[in-house]
Amino acid sequence: MSFAYITEEGARIQKKGDKFIVGRNLETIMEIPAEILEGLVLIESVQVSSQAMVALLQQGIPVTWISSMGKFFGRLESTQHVNVTKHKQQMLVQDTPFAIELSKKIIAAKVHNQIVILRRYNRHKQSNEISTIISNILATRKNINSATSKEQIMGYEGIIARLYFEALGKIVSDPFTFKKRSKQPPRDAVNSMLSFGYTLVMYELYTAIENNGLHPYFGFMHALKNHHPALASDLLEEWRAVIVDSMVLALIQHNEIKLEHFQKSETNGGVYLTRDGRSIFLRAYEKKMRTVNKYEESKKSYRYALNKHVNLFSQALTTLDTGAYLPIFIR
Amino acid sequence: MSDVFTDENEFVAVDDKRYIVLIIYDIVDNKCRNKMVKCLEGFGTRVQKSAFEAYLDKKRYEKLVNKASRIVNTQEDSLRIYLLADHTSVRSWGKGHTHVEDVIIF
């Protein structure tokens, strides 16, 4: 089925009969049959008629607005999925052994996946620096198991993340450079792609979370903050390296994305994808999401797995059994 | 070292099996025909004056059959819906060959 990303400033989406029409000025650019549209991501100032909005709501098609800087603006949400029992349970499990146990499980998977990405690369490169970083990560990882609070878990996770990104910086090849993570604004092209990629996955998770009747803002690991969908952040952790980091490295390695696909913002000094760059990035992202996830038995796509994991979380939460949740471990 | 960052041998997953569906009709009454066109536009692309193509999973195929079959007047009209097998290929010449892509980036 179809996922549409509309990135053209001034584009307009209307509903005519049983199809959505994407146009600009008075010109029709494309027609999308309503039945086959599965998701809509709008970047920049795209207009949506209120008739189209109602239809999108009725059909439960998720719509996400993102700025050209990859910042999330909002979602079109229908209230049909809200399950108050699950919401209540989400609030009750805060800081319980269930929350801590599940956090450990997810961070263990995340760190494992990060190490796999580094090792895959280092098989060819045989860099001592990277090998040293990997051993440091392994040494830090041991502490996670004995952690007793989510703050401790997140603390170790932070140390590992810094080590991991340091190693990633040694992998990124010319003319790209990457020293450390910078967000809001991203200071270089690599950070810009990482942030944009995480945002896209995060809002796919956000949608899946809502479709499962769960509340995106009540997480179990990330600290609860206003305006921050902590549960989406929690469930994103295991996927970051698997989906986004590997894809960004591949885009650079294969010369699919070039420095000319980025521009510096005059307002905040951040570095962002140009319209062409965004198009290349989105295509690569969609390809990745549709790729067979060979690490799980079902042999379905990453997008399918992402949704399934949210469903597993929902089961784990309802039964208070962390065993029901199985994070992804790549090889 | 061609591909150390992506999983070796990546290929696209088929989460839900999908079929090429061909819908042709002969409808006498204008009002009724317009209704059919509107209904079919919700599922696929018009490839000829009274022929539509769609690429659907089973669930949506059933929905299409259900909706479209109610529109025809069985006394004077004709509606035929073909569910084509996996390896069907569609080759086309001339107008009306556009189909809706899975990934739309504009």
Side-chain angles (χ1 to χ4, degrees):
Chain A
M1 307 287 125
S2 294
F3 268 77
Y5 295 84
I6 310 298
T7 75
E8 176 79 10
E9 193 152 1
R12 185 171 169 78
I13 298 172
Q14 285 167 295
K15 178 94 192 296
K16 193 179 157 208
D18 284 341
K19 59 193 173 178
F20 292 103
I21 297 187
V22 183
R24 189 183 36 194
N25 300 329
L26 292 170
E27 189 191 353
T28 295
I29 308 289
M30 70 184 79
E31 297 183 346
I32 309 168
E35 287 290 339
I36 66 168
L37 186 62
E38 271 199 318
L40 191 56
V41 177
L42 308 174
I43 300 168
E44 286 293 346
S45 14
V46 177
Q47 291 187 53
V48 184
S49 76
S50 76
Q51 247 191 332
M53 287 226 207
V54 170
L56 291 160
L57 279 171
Q58 273 172 343
Q59 288 184 244
I61 299 170
V63 183
T64 306
W65 278 267
I66 295 176
S67 79
S68 61
M69 297 178 176
K71 203 169 171 293
F72 170 71
F73 282 142
R75 274 182 86 253
L76 187 60
E77 248 166 61
S78 80
T79 47
Q80 53 188 330
H81 298 296
V82 172
N83 179 322
V84 287
T85 319
K86 286 187 189 174
H87 285 195
K88 189 176 161 204
Q89 183 82 326
Q90 280 179 271
M91 294 165 204
L92 290 175
V93 298
Q94 297 296 317
D95 298 306
T96 61
F98 170 85
I100 291 166
E101 201 53 44
L102 195 58
S103 302
K104 281 184 191 174
K105 222 173 155 170
I106 284 178
I107 294 304
K110 174 185 183 176
V111 174
H112 167 89
N113 295 339
Q114 288 174 327
I115 292 171
V116 171
I117 297 285
L118 296 182
R119 279 189 178 147
R120 263 186 206 168
Y121 175 78
N122 219 25
R123 270 205 298 273
H124 301 266
K125 174 94 172 181
Q126 302 284 345
S127 145
N128 286 331
E129 284 175 306
I130 294 176
S131 306
T132 310
I133 292 177
I134 293 176
S135 357
N136 288 341
I137 292 179
L138 289 170
T140 314
R141 184 173 72 169
K142 288 194 184 116
N143 299 318
I144 293 176
N145 239 334
S146 48
T148 50
S149 71
K150 64 182 185 188
E151 287 75 17
Q152 277 180 358
I153 299 170
M154 293 301 278
Y156 291 125
E157 192 277 324
I159 296 168
I160 291 172
R162 266 196 302 283
L163 288 166
Y164 166 74
F165 283 121
E166 190 191 327
L168 220 56
K170 300 183 191 310
I171 291 176
V172 167
S173 54
D174 283 347
F176 288 88
T177 53
F178 175 70
K179 291 269 173 290
K180 60 168 195 226
R181 269 297 274 149
S182 56
K183 315 163 213 177
Q184 295 168 350
R187 293 288 173 195
D188 55 58
V190 177
N191 273 300
S192 179
M193 286 191 279
L194 291 175
S195 293
F196 193 40
Y198 298 150
T199 302
L200 291 172
V201 183
M202 178 133 143
Y203 285 95
E204 292 218 16
L205 283 166
Y206 192 112
T207 304
I209 287 167
E210 289 211 316
N211 288 344
N212 269 283
L214 295 160
H215 198 303
Y217 290 75
F218 280 93
F220 50 91
M221 177 162 57
H222 284 86
L224 301 187
K225 268 195 299 197
N226 288 333
H227 322 300
H228 177 244
L231 181 57
S233 281
D234 291 349
L235 298 178
L236 172 64
E237 293 298 348
E238 62 189 84
W239 299 103
R240 288 176 186 263
V242 178
I243 294 175
V244 181
D245 302 356
S246 62
M247 179 187 110
V248 168
L249 290 172
L251 278 171
I252 294 172
Q253 175 82 3
H254 302 158
N255 285 319
E256 286 172 59
I257 201 118
K258 302 184 177 68
L259 280 181
E260 70 207 48
H261 292 126
F262 296 87
Q263 61 195 12
K264 204 169 183 145
S265 152
E266 281 170 15
T267 42
N268 66 3
V271 176
Y272 299 100
L273 284 156
T274 60
R275 187 165 184 269
D276 286 346
R278 219 155 50 211
S279 173
I280 295 168
F281 189 87
L282 288 170
R283 256 174 229 294
Y285 173 75
E286 270 297 319
K287 189 173 162 232
K288 184 84 195 183
M289 292 310 270
R290 287 162 192 268
T291 300
V292 175
N293 161 24
K294 61 176 182 189
Y295 307 105
E296 288 172 6
E297 277 175 13
S298 60
K299 295 275 180 275
K300 301 223 174 184
S301 69
Y302 280 111
R303 178 166 278 139
Y304 178 93
L306 215 65
N307 283 284
K308 198 185 92 192
H309 282 213
V310 175
N311 190 267
L312 289 179
F313 167 74
S314 173
Q315 287 173 31
L317 178 78
T318 319
T319 57
L320 284 180
D321 170 21
T322 57
Y325 191 77
L326 306 164
I328 184 161
F329 282 89
I330 60 170
R331 291 184 294 272
Chain B
M1 52 172 285
S2 60
D3 230 332
V4 296
F5 301 124
T6 46
D7 310 333
E8 298 91 298
N9 308 320
E10 287 193 345
F11 55 94
V12 171
V14 186
D15 290 340
D16 290 300
K17 201 172 156 143
R18 286 158 73 188
Y19 306 85
I20 296 178
V21 183
L22 172 66
I23 308 105
I24 55 175
Y25 56 84
D26 242 335
I27 296 176
V28 181
D29 179 54
N30 285 341
K31 218 174 128 194
C32 186
R33 191 175 337 105
N34 288 338
K35 219 170 152 190
M36 181 63 83
V37 169
K38 242 181 109 179
C39 161
L40 297 178
E41 278 178 342
F43 292 88
T45 317
R46 193 172 198 166
V47 290
Q48 284 184 7
K49 277 226 170 74
S50 46
F52 274 76
E53 253 172 48
Y55 190 45
L56 306 172
D57 58 21
K58 202 81 187 196
K59 200 178 100 197
R60 286 178 174 89
Y61 163 75
E62 302 290 355
K63 195 171 169 187
L64 162 71
V65 169
N66 198 333
K67 262 178 111 173
S69 61
R70 287 179 197 199
I71 297 171
V72 286
N73 174 347
T74 48
Q75 298 301 311
E76 51 182 5
D77 299 337
S78 150
L79 168 70
R80 303 179 79 87
I81 300 177
Y82 297 81
L83 179 68
L84 303 176
D86 295 338
H87 41 271
T88 310
S89 86
V90 178
R91 298 177 69 188
S92 71
W93 291 264
K95 292 199 288 186
H97 54 76
T98 49
H99 69 108
V100 181
E101 290 174 58
D102 280 353
V103 183
I104 299 165
I105 296 171
F106 168 62

